[in-house]
C-alpha cells in the first residue's frame, strides 16, 4: 500500500511494501519485500556538500533496505546505506552514506550514524546515541541510551585524515547508559562498560570497567554474560 502523499521515484520495490504519508523514496533506493516506511521518512537521499564539510562527499550509490524491515517516522537514510533484513530503524534516526547494517538490528529513536560504519547482526543501539565515523561494531552488541562516540582528538583541526579513527566494538560487548567512547578505542569480546564511564583506552575481552577514565573492576560475572 502506497500513500497518495508519498513521493516514490524508485522502480525497485518488493511486494507487500507499505509506504506511509509524506515519505520519499528516491530512485536509487531498493526495497525488499514487506518493507514498512513510516510517515515523513526519507530513503536514498544524496548528500550535498558545502565548504563547511572537511571531507570529500561522493555519490554513494544504491540504498538497500532488506526484506521485512521497518523504517519509522522521520527517519532519514542516505544513499549508499545497506540495511539487512528484519531490521528496525527508529523514529527520527539519521544514517549517512557508506554504512552497512546487518540483519535483525534495532536502531532506536534519534540515533545518528556517521559514514564508514559497519554494524553486525542482532545488535541493539538505543535512543539518542551517536555512532561516529569509521566505527566497526560486531554482532550481538548492546549500546544503551545516550552513548556518545568520537573519532578525532584534534577537534577537526587536521581534517578527515588517517588519524581519524572510530571504535572497534567486538561481539557481545555491552555499553551502559551515557558512556563516552574516545577515538580509536577497542572494546573486546563480551566486555561491559558501566553507565557514565569515559573509555580512553582499550577494554580487554570479558572484563567489566567503570569510571572516568574507565578502569578494570572485575571479570564479567556469569550472570551478566549474554553469550
Amino acid at each position: 500500500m502506497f500513500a497518495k502523499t508519498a513521493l516514490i521515484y524508485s522502480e525497485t520495490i518488493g511486494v507487500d511494501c507499505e509506504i506511509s504519508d509524506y515519505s520519499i523514496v528516491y530512485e536509487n533506493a531498493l526495497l525488499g519485500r514487506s518493507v514498512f516506511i513510516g510517515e515523513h521518512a526519507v530513503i536514498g537521499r544524496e548528500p550535498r556538500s558545502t565548504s563547511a564539510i572537511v571531507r570529500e562527499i561522493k555519490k554513494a550509490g544504491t540504498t538497500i533496505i532488506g526484506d521485512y524491515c521497518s523504517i519509522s517516522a522521520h527517519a532519514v537514510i542516505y544513499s549508499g546505506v545497506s540495511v539487512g533484513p528484519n531490521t528496525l530503524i527508529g523514529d527520527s534516526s539519521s544514517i549517512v552514506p557508506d554504512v552497512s547494517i546487518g540483519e535483525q538490528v534495532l536502531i532506536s529513536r534519534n540515533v545518528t550514524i556517521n559514514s564508514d560504519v559497519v554494524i553486525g547482526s542482532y545488535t541493539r543501539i538505543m535512543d539518542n546515541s551517536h555512532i561516529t565515523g569509521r566505527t566497526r561494531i560486531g554482532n550481538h552488541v548492546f549500546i544503551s541510551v545516550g552513548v556518545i562516540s568520537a573519532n578525532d582528538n584534534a577537534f577537526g583541526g587536521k581534517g578527515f585524515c588517517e588519524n581519524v579513527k572510530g571504535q572497534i566494538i567486538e561481539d557481545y560487548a555491552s555499553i551502559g547508559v551515557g558512556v563516552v567512547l574516545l577515538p580509536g578505542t577497542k572494546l573486546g569480546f563480551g566486555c561491559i562498560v558501566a553507565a557514565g564511564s569515559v573509555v580512553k583506552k582499550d577494554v580487554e575481552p570479558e572484563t567489566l570497567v567503570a569510571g572516568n577514565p574507565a578502569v578494570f573492576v572485575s571479570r564479567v560475572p556469569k550472570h551478566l554474560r549474554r553469550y
Side-chain angles (χ1 to χ4, degrees):
M1 181 179 71
F2 300 164
K4 292 182 180 179
T5 56
L7 298 178
I8 303 170
Y9 302 105
S10 174
E11 296 181 355
T12 51
I13 296 177
V15 298
D16 299 325
C17 288
E18 181 177 348
I19 301 178
S20 302
D21 281 316
Y22 302 104
S23 56
I24 304 174
V25 180
Y26 284 105
E27 61 184 2
N28 60 342
L30 188 159
L31 306 187
R33 66 177 300 153
S34 300
V35 171
F36 171 79
I37 306 296
E39 298 84 354
H40 296 272
V42 180
I43 311 297
R45 173 187 283 175
E46 287 284 356
R48 293 291 184 267
S49 176
T50 74
S51 60
I53 304 300
V54 297
R55 65 184 295 264
E56 184 181 1
I57 301 295
K58 299 179 180 178
K59 288 190 175 183
T62 303
T63 297
I64 301 172
I65 308 297
D67 297 344
Y68 305 104
C69 284
S70 180
I71 312 299
S72 301
H74 297 275
V76 179
I77 300 177
Y78 279 79
S79 58
V81 173
S82 175
V83 180
N86 290 290
T87 288
L88 170 64
I89 308 296
D91 297 338
S92 300
S93 289
S94 175
I95 305 173
V96 300
D98 195 19
V99 171
S100 175
I101 299 173
E103 63 177 301
Q104 295 191 45
V105 172
L106 170 63
I107 307 295
S108 197
R109 294 167 296 180
N110 301 303
V111 172
T112 53
I113 301 175
N114 276 359
S115 61
D116 192 9
V117 168
V118 176
I119 299 172
S121 297
Y122 312 105
T123 284
R124 301 166 69 87
I125 303 176
M126 307 312 291
D127 299 0
N128 302 308
S129 289
H130 173 69
I131 307 301
T132 193
R134 292 183 175 165
T135 292
R136 300 293 181 266
I137 300 174
N139 303 313
H140 298 280
V141 170
F142 180 83
I143 297 176
S144 192
V145 174
V147 172
I148 302 298
S149 57
N151 62 8
D152 184 7
N153 282 317
F155 308 105
K158 297 181 180 179
F160 196 76
C161 62
E162 65 276 3
N163 294 324
V164 174
K165 297 179 181 179
Q167 291 69 42
I168 297 173
I169 304 175
E170 295 187 340
D171 296 352
Y172 289 99
S174 299
I175 302 170
V177 173
V179 166
V180 176
L181 304 174
L182 295 185
T185 48
K186 180 179 180 179
L187 282 66
F189 174 94
C191 73
I192 296 178
V193 181
S197 298
V198 177
V199 177
K200 297 182 178 180
K201 62 180 182 179
D202 294 352
V203 179
E204 293 297 317
E206 300 181 300
T207 61
L208 190 158
V209 300
N212 180 6
V215 295
F216 174 83
V217 174
S218 69
R219 303 293 295 178
V220 172
K222 288 185 178 179
H223 71 279
L224 292 178
R225 296 176 186 172
R226 297 188 293 109
Y227 48 89

